[in-house]
Amino acid sequence: MTQPSTLAARVAGAPISWGVCEVPGWGYQLDPETVLRQMRELGLVATEFGPDGFLPDDPVGKTATLTRHGLTAVGQFVPVVLHDPGHDPVPEVSRAIVGLVAAQASTVVLAAATGTDGYDNRPTLDDASWATLLGNLDRIDALAAQYGLVATLHPHVGTMVETGAETDRVLAGSRIGLCLDTGHLLVGGGDPVAVAREHPRRIAHVHLKDVRAEWAERVRAGEVTYSEAVARGMYAPLGGGDVDVRAIVTALEHAGYQGWYVLEQDTVLTGPPEGETGPVADVQASIAYLLDVAGSIPKGR
């Protein structure tokens, strides 16, 4: 799809902000009709697909569901094992590509899955496994380009690429673009502001999150698991945590970034939200904050 130019027109939603997640037992899962209707009522015009099973499996059905709610697709989060020489990730990614092309979306958002459920534990890679991972990233990058899509690697807590050092290794050892997730990178011990300032040309997609640093520190120290921290409020609406979202967005816009800003506030629901509370209120606050940031960036930059 053709991406709009103004920042305000490049703001998209994500089902995870409504607690919809691929992890078994994550929490109460809202139905797509509720989530997509509320996205549109908040003024969002685009969204990522969400996990497998949230939207219809059939590519035409996916697109029709979004169109019925006045939304377009921007991409899909695809956790896939990349480090195992005995596992070929291309068939899984190819299935996602079919749906993305049908929906005229732009971006494949890869995560280097561990091969186990959840994000609370991960093994350590040796150099041979790293070589396999990096080689698979370049293979998928080339595959996506054949279909007019952009492939990105999403550093993500509990995956094989989590930390700032691991992100640097991907940037140095592969051609793939980066999905800058401002929350996961901070929780993993990285510096999202530095990445935005030092590698803006490699950033092809952005997941905007804000994080309460005290919870991120507890996750890194092993005091709580990632899922426990999310359930207890580690993620906040933009402007309500300790990520310098304003500096990140300003740096990217000054560097000419024209991609999407996907609002993600990972949430665990214990039951159906009541009225306009919960996800609706939080996403509305994030939209307002981001539009305020957009208005503060000098024109013509």
Side-chain angles (χ1 to χ4, degrees):
M1 65 183 294
T2 301
Q3 293 175 191
S5 58
T6 64
L7 188 157
R10 290 183 280 123
V11 181
I16 188 62
S17 295
W18 277 260
V20 178
C21 184
E22 72 278 0
V23 177
W26 181 259
Y28 180 82
Q29 299 293 287
L30 285 167
D31 62 277
E33 295 297 314
T34 298
V35 174
L36 300 178
R37 173 180 54 79
Q38 291 182 352
M39 281 187 187
R40 195 67 190 94
E41 289 172 351
L42 287 168
L44 296 171
V45 297
T47 181
E48 290 193 1
F49 279 156
D52 287 345
F54 177 66
L55 295 176
D57 290 336
D58 173 56
V60 175
K62 274 187 172 71
T63 304
T65 300
L66 295 180
T67 300
R68 189 169 69 250
H69 289 87
L71 295 165
T72 56
V74 302
Q76 180 177 358
F77 179 67
V78 184
V80 61
V81 173
L82 298 166
H83 64 279
D84 182 352
H87 176 79
D88 184 0
V90 167
E92 295 165 76
V93 178
S94 295
R95 287 192 291 273
I97 284 174
V98 170
L100 291 165
V101 170
Q104 297 183 310
S106 60
T107 312
V108 184
V109 183
L110 301 170
T114 62
T116 61
D117 289 333
Y119 298 115
D120 294 333
N121 297 286
R122 66 182 191 135
T124 301
L125 294 187
D126 58 21
D127 287 343
S129 296
W130 263 105
T132 299
L133 185 152
L134 295 171
N136 278 327
L137 288 178
D138 282 346
R139 290 174 64 214
I140 294 170
D141 180 60
L143 174 69
Q146 291 176 16
Y147 290 90
L149 299 174
V150 175
T152 63
L153 187 279
H154 180 326
H156 192 294
V157 172
T159 70
M160 308 317 301
V161 181
E162 169 184 299
T163 68
E166 290 160 352
T167 301
D168 288 341
R169 193 163 182 174
V170 168
L171 291 172
S174 75
R175 297 186 302 271
I176 200 164
L178 186 70
C179 171
L180 174 60
D181 187 300
T182 59
H184 276 284
L185 197 56
L186 185 140
V187 176
D191 185 342
V193 175
V195 172
R197 289 174 174 167
E198 295 170 12
H199 303 284
R201 302 299 180 191
R202 290 293 295 275
I203 296 170
H205 198 59
V206 175
H207 286 177
L208 281 182
K209 289 184 175 73
D210 209 343
V211 177
R212 295 181 173 98
E214 67 270 21
W215 282 107
E217 291 165 3
R218 294 185 66 184
V219 171
R220 289 195 295 272
E223 296 176 10
V224 296
T225 66
Y226 176 76
S227 56
E228 289 171 340
V230 175
R232 295 170 72 176
M234 179 167 65
Y235 291 110
L238 299 185
D242 296 293
V243 176
D244 194 345
V245 175
R246 186 176 297 274
I248 292 166
V249 173
T250 300
L252 291 175
E253 291 296 298
H254 283 178
Y257 177 72
Q258 287 293 302
W260 290 94
Y261 292 100
V262 181
L263 301 177
E264 285 198 337
Q265 183 183 337
D266 290 22
T267 299
V268 176
L269 298 180
T270 58
E274 296 184 5
E276 299 302 304
T277 61
V280 170
D282 286 349
V283 176
Q284 187 172 41
S286 289
I287 293 171
Y289 179 85
L290 184 55
L291 293 181
D292 178 70
V293 170
S296 70
I297 297 173
K299 306 299 180 185
R301 294 295 302 272

